[in-house]
């Protein structure tokens, strides 16, 4: 059985130049990648059997930029695929040729660690290994390890419900979502 990527919306592709320009107004500098050669690293995730270039890659640095990108894409009827490290083997971060690939790698800060409640508030681009390194001095570690903890990110783990063999003993992570009123990206239980 062969799986095919969805057919692109030609009306969106016809507006590509205007879309790219609008996204560059939101994320200035090198935060918008639209040239074919520069988008090649984003043409697939860990499931390399399926490849296709996104319409455009956007690498925001602030929650305000993410909010503006999502509002623009919603208003324009443009699909958005969020991407962390791109290690997914389930196709969770496969790009769409008529969509925006929203790279979350720059959101890589650990905001808070609450050892008493076994809670870490982290941004979606924080790697599993970074969480473990931040808590190991107190005798803790982040158990979910989908065999890519060096590279995979918490945002992708939550989106894909990733676990790994350690979860058989210690259980799965729990995500507490995001606190929109304070712009705190989310919390992970360790």
């Amino acid at each position: 059985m062969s799986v095919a990527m969805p057919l692109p919306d030609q009306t969106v592709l016809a507006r590509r130049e205007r879309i790219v320009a609008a996204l560059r107004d939101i994320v200035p500098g090198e935060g918008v990648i639209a040239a074919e050669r520069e988008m090649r690293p984003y043409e697939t995730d860990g499931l390399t059997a399926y490849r296709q270039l996104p319409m455009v890659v956007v690498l925001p640095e602030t929650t305000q930029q993410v909010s503006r990108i999502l509002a623009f894409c919603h208003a324009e009827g443009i699909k958005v695929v969020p991407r962390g490290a791109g290690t997914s083997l389930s196709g969770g971060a496969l790009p769409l040729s008529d969509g925006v690939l929203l790279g979350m790698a720059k959101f890589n800060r650990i905001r808070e660690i609450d050892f008493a409640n076994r809670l870490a508030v982290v941004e979606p681009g924080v790697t599993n290994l970074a969480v473990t390194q931040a808590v190991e001095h107190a005798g803790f570690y982040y158990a979910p390890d989908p065999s890519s903890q060096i590279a995979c990110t918490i945002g992708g783990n939550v989106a894909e419900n990733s676990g790994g063999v350690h979860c058989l003993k210690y259980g799965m992570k729990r995500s507490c979502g995001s606190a929109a009123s304070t712009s705190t990206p989310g919390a992970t239980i360790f």
Side-chain angles (χ1 to χ4, degrees):
M1 179 171 117
S2 177
V3 176
M5 296 298 286
L7 293 175
D9 183 336
Q10 295 300 322
T11 62
V12 171
L13 291 176
R15 296 180 283 139
R16 183 178 187 272
E17 285 185 39
R18 187 176 68 79
I19 291 166
V20 170
L23 291 169
R24 284 194 169 126
D25 285 342
I26 297 170
V27 183
E30 297 179 358
V32 175
I33 303 170
E36 179 180 340
R37 182 180 174 136
E38 284 80 25
M39 289 192 300
R40 281 284 166 213
Y42 299 95
E43 72 182 346
T44 189
D45 61 6
L47 185 63
T48 58
Y50 303 98
R51 294 179 182 276
Q52 105 179 333
L53 286 174
M55 179 175 61
V56 61
V57 176
V58 184
L59 307 171
E61 295 183 15
T62 68
T63 55
Q64 292 79 13
Q65 288 175 340
V66 172
S67 180
R68 290 182 61 202
I69 292 164
L70 293 176
F72 170 75
C73 289
H74 177 72
E76 295 288 324
I78 303 165
K79 300 169 193 136
V80 177
V81 175
R83 176 186 168 118
T87 60
S88 172
L89 294 174
S90 68
L94 287 175
L96 298 170
S97 62
D98 60 348
V100 170
L101 189 71
L102 185 64
M104 300 304 292
K106 292 183 180 182
F107 290 85
N108 58 7
R109 292 179 303 213
I110 296 174
R111 298 285 185 113
E112 174 189 347
I113 296 174
D114 178 352
F115 289 103
N117 291 304
R118 297 181 178 191
L119 175 80
V121 178
V122 303
E123 295 178 346
V126 173
T127 64
N128 287 22
L129 187 58
V131 174
T132 291
Q133 290 171 338
V135 299
E136 65 188 353
H137 71 277
F140 290 93
Y141 75 100
Y142 185 64
D145 175 14
S147 299
S148 58
Q149 72 172 335
I150 263 178
C152 66
T153 60
I154 298 299
N157 285 191
V158 170
E160 291 291 306
N161 198 28
S162 302
V165 296
H166 296 158
C167 292
L168 295 173
K169 181 175 181 181
Y170 298 106
M172 295 293 289
K173 74 202 148 302
R174 291 186 298 152
S175 171
C176 299
S178 64
S181 61
T182 61
S183 297
T184 302
T188 300
I189 307 300
F190 59 91

